[in-house]
Structure formats: structure tokens, C-alpha cells
Amino acid sequence: MRLLRGRVGFVAVWTATTLTGMAISWAGVSGAMRGTAEVPVLQGRPPSPGPSAVPSQSSGTPSPSASGSASPSTRDGSPAAAPGGGRSPSPDASRGPREKVRTYTVKSGRVVLALSDEAARLVSASPDDGFRAKVWRQEKWLRVDLTDDVHGSAVFATWHDGAVRVQVYEY
């Protein structure tokens, strides 16, 4: 009888510990999943950024200018490659008071945006091997391409006519 009580107690403690561990794990996973954005993926190239938009360096960081214009590219007009394959977080990666950070996992890498009611901000761009990031930012839109110049993915955020809208293109 004493041996049976010991085994029942062990099974009860084991069950409680296992269920607690599963609950903690699920809480961590579900928190991470909430930050992953599900958006429809469009095929083909996104709209052209226009003649006034110049791609910024592909460091994965947004342009620091307050005017909304893109930062300069290399001398030949092509975006510069970032050290370490372009996998660098923004120095201003801390979340603003009303921003929601969303991760967009695409075929050629990952883009993380901080979205507020009025704008979008690039947190990081992590292209896969063989791809590089190109970033364009204007007053009412932000575009991040992860490309090898033939194929790629584009995450395009606009907020010119209301709330921020994000579209993903695979080309």
C-alpha cells in the first residue's frame, strides 16, 4: 500500500510538471506566433518605386533622414551590400509606444517592420544567402526587396490613404 501511494504521488508530480512545462512552452510559442504576419502573397513584381526614389544601402536599416527620402546608393547607382550578407538590425530597433512589430517571412529571407497607425518603420531585413536587401522609403510608403536581381521578394508598406497596408510580392 505504501509503495502504491509513492508511485501515485510520483505520477501526479510528473504529470503536473509535464503539463506546466507544456503550458509555458505554448505561451512562448503563441507569443512568437502573434508577431508573425499572415498576408496574401502576390505573384510578379511590385509597382515601380518611381523615378524620384533611390534605393538605400542594403544594410537592413531605414534611412535616418526626416524628409523621407532614401539614403544615397553607391557611386554606380546600385545599392551597396551590407557586411555579413545584409543581416543587420536597425540601430533604432526599439519599439515605439504604439507600434506593432510584424515579421514577414518570404521566399528570399525575412523582413521585420514596426507598424503604427500612421507609418511603417523597417526594423531589420535578413536576406537568404545569395540575396541582398534594397530599401526605398518615401513619405507615405516603404519598400524592402530581398533580391538576387532576377528573383526575389518585396514587402511593400503604404499608408497614404489611411491605415498602414502591407503587401508581399514574390517574383
Side-chain angles (χ1 to χ4, degrees):
M1 189 65 152
R2 184 180 245 179
L3 184 60
L4 182 60
R5 283 186 191 160
R7 286 185 182 175
V8 169
F10 172 76
V11 170
V13 169
W14 177 83
T15 302
T17 304
T18 301
L19 291 174
T20 302
M22 289 173 55
I24 291 170
S25 295
W26 179 247
V29 169
S30 66
M33 294 297 288
R34 277 193 299 266
T36 302
E38 295 286 333
V39 297
V41 176
L42 305 170
Q43 298 301 313
R45 292 191 181 268
S48 173
S52 65
V54 177
S56 69
Q57 293 180 357
S58 60
S59 65
T61 60
S63 170
S65 72
S67 66
S69 63
S71 62
S73 58
T74 61
R75 280 187 214 148
D76 65 359
S78 63
R87 300 175 194 272
S88 61
S90 168
D92 187 22
S94 62
R95 188 176 354 168
R98 294 185 337 222
E99 290 180 326
K100 295 177 185 174
V101 176
R102 296 289 182 250
T103 301
Y104 299 90
T105 302
V106 293
K107 287 183 179 179
S108 52
R110 183 178 11 201
V111 174
V112 180
L113 300 177
L115 307 173
S116 69
D117 292 338
E118 302 87 27
R121 178 175 57 88
L122 177 63
V123 175
S124 69
S126 301
D128 288 343
D129 290 336
F131 291 88
R132 70 177 188 276
K134 293 182 181 180
V135 179
W136 293 267
R137 180 169 176 79
Q138 293 292 320
E139 186 177 336
K140 295 292 183 175
W141 58 267
L142 169 68
R143 175 178 168 174
V144 180
D145 278 24
L146 305 178
T147 182
D148 64 1
D149 289 329
V150 176
H151 298 96
S153 307
V155 178
F156 199 18
T158 59
W159 55 92
H160 55 81
D161 59 354
V164 176
R165 188 174 83 179
V166 177
Q167 294 176 300
V168 174
Y169 295 86
E170 298 289 353
Y171 57 92

